[in-house]
Amino acid sequence: MRADDPAIRWIEEPKLGLSGKMYLPLIFQGLTTTARHLVGPKRTVSFPEQRPNIADPLIYRGVHRLNRDQEGRVKCVACFLCATACPAHCIDIVAAESPWPDREKYPEHFVIDELRCIFCGMCEEACPVDAIELTSLFDLTGRTREEMFFDKEKLLSVFDQTKDAEPPKSAGLPPLQRPEEEHHS
Amino acid sequence: MLELAAIALVKVVILSFGLLTAAAYLVLLERRVAAWVQDRRGPNRVGIPLTSIRLFGLGQPLADGLKFIFKEEFTPSHVDRWMYTLAPISILATALAVFAVIPFGDVLTLGGERTIELVVAPGFDAGAIYVFALSSLAVYGVILGGWASNNKYSLLGGLRSSAQLIAYELPLSLGLLGVVVVTGTLRLDEVIRTQANEGIWFAFAQPLGLIVFVIASFAEAARLPFDLPEAEQELVGGYHTEYSGIRLLMYLVAEFMHMITASFLIVILFLGGWHFWGLTDAAAWGIEGEAVPLWLGVVRIVVLMAKVFVVILFFMLTRWTWPRFRFDQLMNLAWKVMLPLGIANVVMMAVVAEFEVPLTDRLGRGGVIGLTWVGTLLTLIVAALLVPLHSDNRRRSIEPDLFGTS
């Protein structure tokens, strides 16, 4: 590109006064800024002793949980929408005939591979019954790969752990009223 | 004779260990200060090994050092082995050898009678020249490392470094010359004694010299506004790109040693060395005669070290205040600003030294100093008005397109 290319827009530098041209006043101005930060409050969170303040747990994407309904049953209806939406293919569901009259299916097995999960929150978006949700727990660890496969019981226990601090996001909504299904071919 | 050698040996051992430890802890301080300036906390976890005691991260230098020592000492296959090994040794050796003539206190009086001068080579008349000769030798370590690495980035780093160090040697010497003209001695302990006797530091008597010397010593120590030899972001580390393990550690320690040397020189030449009004004067404590009791000697060491620490802190703060110069800006600053300022300072000091008696009679000591300050201010204003702004790198006119590249 040539220096006289009309596409180049030359910007005029702000004019410096005498004190600016003498450099030293500006150096001292800069030093006061640096010194202010030297003694100012620090932003670092000393992690294990001090927990970070998660501003809005509602939109934080941490470990998953499987919500329970009012009767303590798993809310999931094994529709596979989350497993389909998952870009990392980390959700594995085995559906079975529901023992309860209000739904057709329920998950017999529901396993999330937390090591494979990218915590994108698509499963939460996809879920039609608000059964799967992401909590604000972020420091999950394990000693083996097997430990990091979270099964249905584990995911439900995450719900039990977090339900007081983070009520289910659909808690205020009435239970889903399903119109009588018409089969579309 | 043997006794003299023994005393010198003890001083050498104490000084070398002290300096190497100081360099290690300055790395920690540098990291902490960097963190604080950026609103972080910095390394504060490593304490006593095998316990959970943290001690504000004071164990960090130990961990850093061990890491470097136990790393594989890798020599790339394409380097000149001899030079490659020699380079870090030469730079560290010269950086340590500089301290032979730098006083780290005044005198210690042991057992009432015996006084020990706190400098490895006491009474060395060419002290200042020796310091400058050895700190110039640092260029060899840098350029040797760059050359021996057989790598274009290292060589570029070495070349840039040698150009920079040679360019800033001149204003550095001119800053020193002002002090030498006034004191009439090249002995650093004499320079301190002159300031202490008069009670006026050369920072007040020669402000222009202080400015020139401080800026030039930043460049000599390759600290941040002038750290082009390394320039991590541009030269992948510069002359020590190919170095790792203990050899890299030697380079890094030598670098901090240069900063310590520069701080010592600034303090000794311009900030009164171990002198502080009322605190280190024998007369103020009601002590008769020339003898300096042991405790006063210790007080003077502490005052000197405190001043050096403050100057080092200033070095570190400046690092996070001023961005790196471009190479042409660096050279412009050296030849078009610092050199004239240094010459102006020498001329001013020569006039003061030559006409000291009539000037002091007419104006008093304060008047002479006031005159120096007026001269400094005028020089700075003239320099500001005459020197073009180096930040502006636009092309003023369109040059003919010789190579037809457009």
Side-chain angles (χ1 to χ4, degrees):
Chain A
M1 186 178 262
R2 290 174 60 101
D4 56 349
D5 194 310
I8 299 176
R9 199 159 58 87
W10 293 102
I11 296 170
E12 275 306 314
E13 281 186 26
K15 285 265 179 289
L16 284 179
L18 183 62
S19 73
K21 282 183 180 169
M22 281 168 73
Y23 281 105
L24 294 180
L26 289 187
I27 292 181
F28 281 105
Q29 200 185 334
L31 274 175
T32 50
T33 308
T34 323
R36 209 168 48 238
H37 281 276
L38 185 72
V39 292
K42 306 292 170 243
R43 299 292 185 91
T44 314
V45 176
S46 298
F47 166 59
E49 303 93 48
Q50 201 187 340
R51 306 290 297 184
N53 179 28
I54 289 168
D56 187 357
L58 275 181
I59 57 171
Y60 194 88
R61 303 201 297 260
V63 181
H64 313 77
R65 69 181 183 193
L66 271 182
N67 287 350
R68 294 176 190 277
D69 60 10
Q70 277 90 342
E71 296 159 46
R73 306 171 304 183
V74 62
K75 236 176 170 182
C76 176
V77 295
C79 67
F80 287 79
L81 277 181
C82 52
T84 313
C86 181
H89 305 301
C90 66
I91 304 179
D92 184 34
I93 307 173
V94 176
E97 195 80 19
S98 164
W100 310 302
D102 59 346
R103 66 188 92 161
E104 286 173 12
K105 292 191 291 179
Y106 89 114
E108 199 173 18
H109 293 287
F110 192 107
V111 181
I112 298 182
D113 183 354
E114 298 283 351
L115 289 179
R116 207 163 170 181
C117 175
I118 58 170
F119 299 95
C120 63
M122 296 293 240
C123 46
E124 183 176 353
E125 295 287 331
C127 186
V129 291
D130 292 326
I132 187 166
E133 275 177 357
L134 276 73
T135 63
S136 61
L137 295 179
F138 58 90
D139 50 341
L140 76 162
T141 54
R143 288 176 185 278
T144 58
R145 282 173 190 278
E146 288 70 37
E147 228 173 282
M148 298 306 284
F149 288 108
F150 279 23
D151 59 6
K152 193 171 79 178
E153 281 66 43
K154 176 87 180 170
L155 289 167
L156 285 168
S157 75
V158 175
F159 172 77
D160 295 335
Q161 264 177 46
T162 55
K163 67 181 175 200
D164 298 325
E166 298 169 41
K169 293 167 193 178
S170 59
L173 300 176
L176 198 63
Q177 293 298 320
R178 282 168 175 262
E180 281 305 309
E181 290 275 335
E182 288 169 37
H183 284 285
H184 298 281
S185 51
Chain B
M1 188 63 215
L2 201 65
E3 196 188 308
L4 267 181
I7 290 175
L9 199 65
V10 169
K11 282 189 233 174
V12 167
V13 169
I14 291 176
L15 202 61
S16 323
F17 273 86
L19 282 172
L20 291 173
T21 318
Y25 275 91
L26 282 180
V27 176
L28 175 66
L29 183 72
E30 169 106 54
R31 291 175 66 182
R32 291 304 293 269
V33 167
W36 289 334
V37 169
Q38 295 166 1
D39 292 346
R40 296 184 284 118
R41 281 181 214 278
N44 60 353
R45 298 284 163 123
V46 187
I48 300 168
L50 305 177
T51 62
S52 58
I53 303 166
R54 278 186 180 167
L55 286 177
F56 317 105
L58 285 180
Q60 189 73 41
L62 195 68
D64 286 349
L66 282 179
K67 185 200 96 176
F68 273 118
I69 289 166
F70 286 119
K71 257 186 163 180
E72 183 190 354
E73 209 185 322
F74 181 74
T75 311
S77 58
H78 54 76
V79 302
D80 186 335
R81 277 180 166 274
W82 269 97
M83 299 240 198
Y84 182 79
T85 316
L86 190 65
I89 295 175
S90 71
I91 198 169
L92 184 60
T94 49
L96 272 172
V98 169
F99 278 87
V101 296
I102 291 182
F104 50 98
D106 184 25
V107 290
L108 276 186
T109 311
L110 296 180
E113 277 301 300
R114 220 183 140 105
T115 58
I116 295 177
E117 287 195 62
L118 291 178
V119 51
V120 174
F124 184 38
D125 284 325
I129 290 179
Y130 173 82
V131 170
F132 280 85
L134 275 189
S135 57
S136 309
L137 278 182
V139 185
Y140 285 95
V142 168
I143 202 163
L144 212 58
W147 178 260
S149 296
N150 199 3
N151 166 337
K152 53 182 171 291
Y153 295 107
S154 303
L155 186 61
L156 277 178
L159 283 178
R160 277 161 67 139
S161 177
S162 52
Q164 169 184 339
L165 295 189
I166 290 167
Y168 278 89
E169 200 94 318
L170 285 167
L172 197 69
S173 318
L174 288 174
L176 170 80
L177 201 56
V179 173
V180 172
V181 162
V182 171
T183 55
T185 177
L186 282 167
R187 281 176 59 176
L188 295 174
D189 49 342
E190 283 297 321
V191 172
I192 299 178
R193 214 150 286 147
T194 312
Q195 299 177 71
N197 289 341
E198 218 172 327
I200 299 169
W201 300 352
F202 285 132
F204 304 116
Q206 314 188 1
L208 191 56
L210 176 74
I211 293 168
V212 170
F213 192 85
V214 167
I215 295 177
S217 53
F218 267 81
E220 283 290 301
R223 291 290 301 177
L224 196 76
F226 305 98
D227 76 334
L228 287 98
E230 278 139 72
E232 299 95 341
Q233 299 87 345
E234 303 159 32
L235 292 173
V236 250
Y239 57 88
H240 55 56
T241 308
E242 300 283 354
Y243 282 87
S244 62
I246 187 95
R247 295 191 191 119
L248 178 66
L249 181 69
M250 285 162 96
Y251 264 124
L252 299 181
V253 169
E255 216 163 85
F256 271 86
M257 217 65 92
H258 288 149
M259 184 171 76
I260 300 174
T261 318
S263 308
F264 262 99
L265 283 179
I266 291 171
V267 168
I268 288 168
L269 293 175
F270 289 98
L271 298 178
W274 43 257
H275 171 260
F276 199 87
W277 306 280
L279 203 60
T280 58
D281 296 337
W285 296 98
I287 298 161
E288 298 290 323
E290 286 291 299
V292 180
L294 181 61
W295 62 268
L296 194 55
V298 175
V299 166
R300 287 177 176 180
I301 296 177
V302 171
V303 168
L304 178 65
M305 294 305 161
K307 281 183 190 174
V308 170
F309 182 76
V310 169
V311 173
I312 288 177
L313 214 56
F314 175 70
F315 265 82
M316 289 177 175
L317 275 187
T318 313
R319 174 174 185 173
W320 300 108
T321 303
W322 218 233
R324 182 182 302 134
F325 285 112
R326 219 169 45 213
F327 195 70
D328 61 317
Q329 293 172 338
L330 180 91
M331 283 296 144
N332 274 328
L333 186 67
W335 298 106
K336 293 184 184 166
V337 184
M338 300 316 291
L339 194 63
L341 285 184
I343 291 173
N345 177 56
V346 171
V347 169
M348 212 148 63
M349 283 311 123
V351 169
V352 167
E354 181 66 26
F355 302 107
E356 194 173 10
V357 180
L359 274 177
T360 316
D361 282 349
R362 185 104 20 115
L363 301 166
R365 191 79 185 94
V368 175
I369 290 175
L371 214 58
T372 327
W373 277 82
V374 171
T376 301
L377 208 62
L378 282 179
T379 320
L380 284 179
I381 289 173
V382 169
L385 293 179
L386 290 185
V387 175
L389 272 182
H390 303 314
S391 61
D392 192 351
N393 61 343
R394 281 170 299 172
R395 273 209 245 177
R396 285 297 170 202
S397 60
I398 308 302
E399 281 126 342
D401 191 9
L402 288 178
F403 304 104
T405 46
S406 62

